[in-house]
Structure formats: C-alpha cells, structure tokens
Amino acid sequence: MQRRQILQAGLAVAATSPTWCWADTWPAKPITLVVPFPPGGSTDLIARALSTKLAEKMGPGFTFIVDNKAGATGTIGAAQVARAPADGYTFLVSSLGPFVIAPHLIKANYDALKDLDPITIVAQAPNVLVVPAASARKSVPEVISYLKANPDKMSFASSGNGSSDHLTAELFWLQTGTSGVHVPYKGGGPVMTNLLGNQVDCSFMNINTALPQIKAGKLRALAITSAKRSPLLPEVPTLEESGVKEANVNSWQAVAAPKGLPADIKKRMFDAIVASIKDPAVAPKLLELGFELVLNTPEQFASYQAAEYARWQKLISARNIKAD
C-alpha cells in the first residue's frame, strides 16, 4: 500500500510540476493551424507560410496542417480552438476580428480574453484612406471640411459591418465630429470595384489591398492609420499628421492556442514562429505586402489584446454598431 501511495504521489507531482516536460513526447500526430476565414486572404497566406516554415524550423516529426473553418466573422473557427484540448495540437491563426471585435457584435461561443492562450502577434498592417483618382478631395483636411459642410453626403465603403475598415471610418467620424454614409459590402472585392468605378467616395482600405491601385494611379491615398508613415507610401501622411488624434488602427494577424497550453510547448512554438516569420523566404514577402513584423511575447500580446478589446467594445457601443 505504501509503495502504491508513493508512486501515485510521484505521478501527481510530475503532472503538476512546472518542470514536467510535455514537449518530450510532443508531437505524436500532426498539428492543426485553424484559420477562421476562407482560403486566399491575408490570414490564410500567413498560416500557410507558417505551416511550411514551422515544420522546417522544428525538425523531423513535426507536420502542420492548415484547416479553414470560416463563418460568423471568424468566431466559428475561434470557438473550435477555444474548445479544443490544450495539448499543443490545435492553434488559431487569425486576424484581430475574433480576438477583439466580433465578440462585441455577435454571440460568440467563447470568451476571447479567457478561453484563448495568446502566443504572438505575427504582423500588422495599417489601413489607408483612399479616394478615386478623379476625386476632388486631395487631403484629409479637405475631407473634414467637406463633411462638416455636407453632413452625411460622402460615402465610405467597407467590407462589411464591424470590419476593420468600417470601424476605422466610425472612429474617424467620432474624432473629427463629422458624419458620413457607411456603405457596407460583402468583402473587399466589391469595395475596390465600386471605388474604381466612382460609385462610392472613399474607403479606409487595408494597405495590402489598396497598394497596387495606389501605385497604378487609380486610387489616391490621403492618409495612413498607423502611428508612423509606411515605407511603402512614404509620401502619405498619418492621420495624426493630418490633424486627427487617437485614430491609429492596425489590422493584425496573431497565433493563439486553447487556454492552458503547457509552458514548454508555448515556448517552443513562440521561438519557432519568430524564426519562421524572420526567415528570408517569408519576411520580405510580408513587408512587400505592407505588413510590419511584430512578434511580441505572449505577455505583451495578452496586454495588447485586452486594451484593443476594451477600445473596440467602447466604440461599438458608443456608435451602436450592429453586425450584418
């Protein structure tokens, strides 16, 4: 009896001790990267780059599979990860929506701050206020002056209610004391088509979507929503330089796990993600698309997520924003 009790006590200590190394037996099967959006977008691009490079960086025995679980503005895939065992076999690769925006707009079957274990924000990209090349508005002050003289006469297109481009417009109106007309579309494609066709006046488009048409001279960039100018558009001022305070917005891509991921696995994943994103085959491509590498620590990610969660909750409530 005494021998059995000693053995049971030893196993209990091993299971709870911070020195217990789950990574010694990990992985025993393929690791899934859940993308809560359809294939082809920025999040999917980053996840697929990670799936290849993580396998290279972590060595033999590691296989990564990308699983697209789209729906409900990303919350279906995020909920799947939140409900999964915290054993190192399921990770979420997602933009900011499921982390800090969507839970304020729809019923999400998870708590974004409590049910996910943050690992790192991989990269971020600002939005750009763009108008058609033929637009009479050539600067942010001109846009503000027009809106003040003509309330609700200028249309702002977005990829959908509650999207980053929509919320940026709402923040812009709030900070400038103006009002425009929000025109939501189902995705960025129709926004671009109607902007180029002069059917809408402007949009806060993501830089990697807008950049080709800006470079081609078909869209005019008036301001960028980051804290500093983009090296890809060095001549374009920030919103703050244009007189709009506290309106910095970045769309970011991050990796998280189910809450309770063993510390040793989290450390190995974090280190491998950093190495993968900094790889010469990956980093330059992301920079060319307008992304800025972030790669903050899990603790920094958690703090930033909490602040962003509160920020967007406040704006969504104040502006009475509803989901599609």
Side-chain angles (χ1 to χ4, degrees):
M1 177 68 72
Q2 185 178 15
R3 182 179 179 183
R4 184 166 65 248
Q5 289 174 333
I6 291 172
L7 179 60
Q8 290 173 337
L11 289 172
V13 170
T16 57
S17 170
T19 61
W20 174 259
C21 190
W22 287 99
D24 284 347
T25 57
W26 175 78
K29 60 182 180 179
I31 298 165
T32 299
L33 304 179
V34 175
V35 175
F37 307 109
S42 296
T43 305
D44 186 65
L45 180 151
I46 287 176
R48 291 183 188 279
L50 279 174
S51 68
T52 299
K53 287 299 172 183
L54 284 172
E56 292 179 12
K57 303 296 182 184
M58 302 187 85
F62 283 87
T63 302
F64 291 85
I65 299 170
V66 175
D67 184 13
N68 296 88
K69 289 290 183 183
T73 63
T75 59
I76 289 177
Q80 176 180 312
V81 175
R83 293 193 299 266
D87 55 7
Y89 291 102
T90 307
F91 293 87
L92 176 67
V93 182
S94 177
S95 63
L96 74 166
F99 286 109
V100 298
I101 294 175
H104 306 308
L105 295 169
I106 63 175
K107 181 176 175 55
N109 294 319
Y110 63 97
D111 187 314
L113 298 180
K114 295 180 180 179
D115 296 339
L116 295 170
D117 222 334
I119 296 177
T120 188
I121 296 176
V122 172
Q124 63 184 17
N127 292 332
V128 184
L129 177 58
V130 292
V131 297
S135 173
R137 258 57 66 186
K138 294 180 171 57
S139 69
V140 170
E142 288 183 17
V143 170
I144 294 172
S145 294
Y146 180 83
L147 288 171
K148 288 186 174 181
N150 303 275
D152 298 322
K153 295 295 184 182
M154 190 171 183
S155 56
F156 287 67
S158 85
S159 55
N161 286 318
S163 60
S164 172
D165 40 358
H166 172 207
L167 294 184
T168 305
E170 295 281 357
L171 185 61
F172 178 79
W173 297 329
L174 181 66
Q175 295 302 99
T176 58
T178 61
S179 61
V181 178
H182 176 222
V183 183
Y185 291 86
K186 292 189 179 298
V191 174
M192 181 64 77
T193 298
N194 284 2
L195 263 177
L196 295 176
N198 294 291
Q199 293 168 284
V200 287
D201 295 317
C202 63
S203 178
F204 279 99
M205 300 191 81
N206 191 267
I207 188 171
N208 48 37
T209 301
L211 192 60
Q213 300 300 340
I214 295 171
K215 295 293 187 183
K218 296 180 179 180
L219 292 179
R220 180 185 303 131
L222 304 185
I224 197 161
T225 64
S226 50
K228 58 183 180 181
R229 295 192 184 199
S230 168
L232 297 179
L233 295 170
E235 73 286 357
V236 178
T238 66
L239 277 178
E240 187 160 353
E241 288 176 319
S242 303
V244 184
K245 305 300 183 183
E246 298 181 13
N248 292 343
V249 177
N250 280 297
S251 296
W252 40 270
Q253 309 286 339
V255 182
K259 196 69 175 180
L261 184 69
D264 49 357
I265 293 180
K266 180 186 283 190
K267 178 66 165 58
R268 288 186 67 179
M269 279 294 290
F270 172 76
D271 290 344
I273 290 168
V274 171
S276 298
I277 294 299
K278 288 185 175 180
D279 188 279
V282 177
K285 292 181 180 179
L286 293 179
L287 296 174
E288 287 172 8
L289 290 172
F291 284 106
E292 172 190 350
L293 305 188
V294 179
L295 300 171
N296 52 3
T297 66
E299 295 76 18
Q300 290 169 332
F301 178 9
S303 177
Y304 182 74
Q305 181 191 2
E308 284 281 279
Y309 189 93
R311 178 195 194 193
W312 295 122
Q313 182 180 41
K314 181 178 179 181
L315 179 72
I316 289 167
S317 176
R319 306 291 291 185
N320 194 31
I321 298 168
K322 305 296 182 183
D324 288 321

